[in-house]
Amino acid sequence: MGVQINGDTGNISATKADYSGNVTIGGTLTYEDVTNIDSVGLITARNGIEIGARPGVAASISVDGNMIVSGISTFNNDIKLPDNKKILLGTGSDLEIFHNGTSSIIADVGTGYLIYKGNRFQVVGADGSENIINAVENGAVELYYDNSKKFETNT
């Protein structure tokens, strides 16, 4: 087929076209089997978006809002979740971090222990000005009431 131009509707039909300059489209562009897209503005995808720059590093964003990423993900701003939506860690979702609308919760729902690793552990009040618990590696464990030390371990 050559080029067909329908003057009544403004439609152009062709099997192939080469352009040496910019092409501007004022409506919707529908296409299939495209390997390179350089878009400025909003892209609407019917079946999601597949991104894969290198083997082993890829992402998939589906139309139902799911995103699957392999490789390292870096976030430069907040990650926001509504109440009762959880960050799940571990193959069996053994560790949960979430806010239930009233309390912030870190839950070990799997087997084993919830382990904190570090040489100092400190729990302070919400504004950071009052001690609640201090624990130091190879040192004392201190418990506070109203920012006043009430219990301390020693040798």
Side-chain angles (χ1 to χ4, degrees), residues 54-82:
R54 293 178 283 173
V57 178
S60 174
I61 304 170
S62 65
V63 293
D64 58 1
N66 292 324
M67 181 172 75
I68 299 169
V69 179
S70 65
I72 296 172
S73 299
T74 302
F75 299 91
N76 291 322
N77 289 304
D78 297 340
I79 299 172
K80 296 183 179 184
L81 298 174

Side-chain angles (χ1 to χ4, degrees), residues 2-135:
V3 175
Q4 296 178 351
I5 300 174
N6 186 329
D8 295 336
T9 63
N11 291 336
I12 300 174
S13 297
T15 56
K16 182 178 178 183
D18 292 314
Y19 299 94
S20 61
N22 294 334
V23 176
T24 302
I25 298 173
T28 300
L29 173 63
T30 303
Y31 48 86
E32 294 180 14
D33 299 328
V34 176
T35 56
N36 295 302
I37 299 173
D38 185 2
S39 174
V40 177
L42 179 66
I43 296 173
T44 303
R46 291 187 188 137
N47 295 319
I49 301 171
E50 298 285 336
I51 304 165
R54 293 178 283 173
V57 178
S60 174
I61 304 170
S62 65
V63 293
D64 58 1
N66 292 324
M67 181 172 75
I68 299 169
V69 179
S70 65
I72 296 172
S73 299
T74 302
F75 299 91
N76 291 322
N77 289 304
D78 297 340
I79 299 172
K80 296 183 179 184
L81 298 174
D83 288 343
N84 295 308
K85 296 299 180 186
K86 301 174 180 180
I87 297 172
L88 303 174
L89 303 169
T91 302
S93 300
D94 301 324
L95 179 65
E96 303 175 346
I97 302 173
F98 66 101
H99 189 272
N100 67 7
T102 305
S103 300
S104 298
I105 300 166
I106 299 173
D108 181 358
V109 297
T111 59
Y113 299 97
L114 177 62
I115 298 171
Y116 164 81
K117 284 189 172 186
N119 59 8
R120 183 175 178 136
F121 176 77
Q122 185 174 27
V123 178
V124 297
D127 67 358
S129 66
E130 287 195 24
N131 288 314
I132 298 171
I133 300 172
N134 282 323

